[in-house]
Amino acid sequence: AQSVTQPDARVTVSEGASLQLRCKYSYSGTPYLFWYVQYPRQGLQLLLKYYSGDPVVQGVNGFEAEFIKSNSSFHLRKASVHWSDSAVYFCAVSANNNNAPRFGAGTKLSVKP
Amino acid sequence: DAGVTQTPRHEVAEKGQTIILKCEPVSGHNDLFWYRQTKIQGLELLSYFRSKSLMEDGGAFKDRFKAEMLNSSFSTLKIQPTEPKDSAVYLCASSLYGGYTGQLYFGEGSKLTVL
């Protein structure tokens, strides 16, 4: 079965700084990978997804993620964060069309002004 | 288009009670998911339906948790009997093409507190 580990429960960065949120997945095959974001009092929303091809995928609001198969990782990055990026970020993995995506525990991002 | 609608938004129950949470998926979506969200565990899968057929259920939740698709546009999650450890946010999500490749659309969740 597939699973996801997000090793950082909380991350705090200053506005304008760069960001990396870590995600490691466990699955022996080729995974489909996602990042979702949950803003306060809102439902989860898709940021970006990786299926195949270019391992660096672009998402909304300047976010990108890189799939590194040798490391089983799919870290999320942003060059310059804004205070409005403060939210909880979830990494997810899907194995096949008959299985639901599995999510990590989430990383709470706080952006200091 | 209406998104995923979950009711009630908040529920307080006494230990041992039965509670029913409701979900209306996005119109036309074939896949429906129930997850439980806690700060420690994150999102844990409870049930996954495709066109009303149960595809997966979370092994740890089988005994007191039962999700049903009453029709293509309405699902319920019953917890019976409730325990304090069930206090969490219960999320419903739907997808047009399946969770494998398609985007999940989430509701805002039902927050359950069991006393």
Side-chain angles (χ1 to χ4, degrees), chain A residues 50-63:
Chain A
Y50 171 78
Y51 296 158
S52 63
D54 189 339
V56 179
V57 292
Q58 305 296 322
V60 298
N61 296 334
F63 285 94

Side-chain angles (χ1 to χ4, degrees), chain A:
Chain A
Q2 69 273 32
S3 65
V4 168
T5 300
Q6 294 181 249
D8 305 310
R10 294 176 177 267
V11 170
T12 300
V13 297
S14 297
E15 192 167 27
S18 63
L19 169 72
Q20 176 172 280
L21 301 182
R22 296 185 290 166
C23 170
K24 298 269 286 187
Y25 69 89
S26 175
Y27 180 60
S28 56
T30 301
Y32 281 28
L33 296 160
F34 308 84
W35 276 97
Y36 283 81
V37 61
Q38 185 177 36
Y39 297 105
R41 294 172 294 282
Q42 294 186 30
L44 276 76
Q45 304 167 35
L46 182 69
L47 264 184
L48 50 79
K49 56 191 176 186
Y50 171 78
Y51 296 158
S52 63
D54 189 339
V56 179
V57 292
Q58 305 296 322
V60 298
N61 296 334
F63 285 94
E64 67 175 29
E66 183 174 7
F67 169 58
I68 302 179
K69 187 172 184 178
S70 60
N71 197 35
S72 298
S73 68
F74 190 57
H75 302 331
L76 182 70
R77 303 189 296 238
K78 187 170 184 179
S80 177
V81 296
H82 188 264
W83 64 266
S84 60
D85 293 325
S86 296
V88 182
Y89 292 79
F90 293 92
C91 182
V93 59
S94 283
N96 62 60
N97 206 28
N98 295 322
N99 295 121
R102 294 321 200 252
F103 287 79
T107 297
K108 183 173 183 179
L109 173 66
S110 298
V111 180
K112 298 186 299 183

